[in-house]
Amino acid sequence: MSAQVPSFQLNDGTKIPAVGMGTAGIRIRQVQRASPVARSYIDPVPLGNEKEVGQAINASRIPREEIYVTTKLPNDAHDRVRESFEESLQNLQCGYVDLYLMHWPFAVITDSSGQSRTLRPDEHPTFIDTWKEMEKLLDTGKVKTIGVSNFSVKTLTELLPHCTVIPATNQVELHPCLPQAELKVFCEEKGILLTAYTPLGAHLRAGRSKVLLEHETVGDIAKSLSITPAQVLLSWSVQRGIIVVPKSEDNQRMQDNIKLVHLSEEAVERINKIHEEPEMHRSLLKYHSPEGGAFGWSYEDFGWNMVTGGIIPSK
């Protein structure tokens, strides 16, 4: 594990690097360059670029124990958790997975005619059913830690009473426009670490938003410290105890992203106030449907409170 990258302890006693390398939307040639740079933590796309990530890990000649590998259960595999995990492991060819996440709380099924639909929250398998199957994976010795992604206070509150194993982390959209304060407090009380999959404000291929990277406050702090705006944003999250998995297609930026700095209390407070600016407190991702909700679930189903298309945590 790289000495440059700090680590956090998870609720199962294992450690996870505070900074990783997200690979969603990254071109294959960049994935092949990613593992030596982000040798601490790499996060492939389930059944998407897992083969390329596995090839990159093996080609890097870095010892397996020095790379933290996360992958996720696809939405259309909630009814076959064990089989889907084995497919991912076969694609990765890395022996074991350090962290396995339920990608979303909703399940997608395909009927005999080939038509797919998203199950309603009360249809089986529910995310509670799915989690119970994920817990069984720990007995295989092929995955060390399990967690969730895109869960809210509402969905976690529904899940936790049924858990034998508490999720170690919850990977969500999180950045200064959407600091997820309520969710952060709730997860800390339950011993669950948050992971930000959009710590710079947007997916690489979801509009290439410059809302945060070009924000005046972030730029001023970056200039005063002679670092990049991305380093400011990543340092802000990690300093709050949040794991970050930024994405980049630029090799130098990949290297810069794992170099954190300590921000002064004044700098942290300035960044904390960004979401209070008019029109700034919102989701920056593109999956929200025009009629409200996402992927066939309503905002109420997810447990999200929305204002003008943005996720607004309850006061």
Side-chain angles (χ1 to χ4, degrees), residues 200-201 209-216 218-219 228-231 233:
L200 305 182
S209 173
K210 297 294 185 180
V211 171
L212 286 170
L213 291 175
E214 294 184 354
H215 192 279
E216 182 179 3
V218 176
T228 68
Q231 286 173 292
L233 294 169

Side-chain angles (χ1 to χ4, degrees), residues 4-122:
Q4 290 179 297
V5 180
S7 62
F8 294 132
Q9 183 165 309
L10 297 171
N11 59 21
D12 61 358
T14 62
K15 290 186 176 182
I16 184 171
V19 183
M21 173 69 190
T23 64
I26 301 294
R27 287 188 285 263
I28 291 176
R29 68 174 181 273
Q30 295 304 118
V31 171
Q32 292 170 342
R33 298 166 63 187
S35 59
V37 175
R39 65 185 291 157
S40 294
Y41 179 0
I42 191 163
D43 188 357
V45 180
L47 306 183
N49 63 1
E50 288 173 327
K51 287 185 178 180
E52 288 77 17
V53 169
Q55 290 167 3
I57 291 171
N58 291 322
S60 73
R61 299 187 181 277
I62 297 170
R64 171 64 184 89
E65 63 272 14
E66 293 187 16
I67 301 179
Y68 193 98
V69 179
T70 294
T71 195
K72 303 177 182 75
L73 176 74
N75 304 325
D76 63 357
H78 283 224
D79 59 343
R80 52 182 195 91
V81 173
R82 178 66 180 269
E83 293 87 342
S84 182
F85 173 76
E86 293 291 349
E87 288 172 21
S88 290
L89 197 60
Q90 179 66 27
N91 287 333
L92 288 165
Q93 289 291 307
C94 62
Y96 63 91
V97 170
D98 294 276
L99 174 63
Y100 195 55
L101 302 176
M102 189 190 314
H103 199 180
W104 284 86
F106 64 84
V108 175
I109 63 165
T110 302
D111 61 25
S112 56
S113 66
Q115 295 295 312
S116 296
R117 70 178 182 92
T118 300
L119 297 183
R120 300 298 307 147
D122 58 349

Side-chain angles (χ1 to χ4, degrees), residues 9 70 81 93 116 141 153-154 169 203 218 236 255 266:
Q9 183 165 309
T70 294
V81 173
Q93 289 291 307
S116 296
V153 172
K154 176 181 183 290
T169 185
H203 278 311
V218 176
W236 173 79
Q255 296 182 47
E266 178 187 7

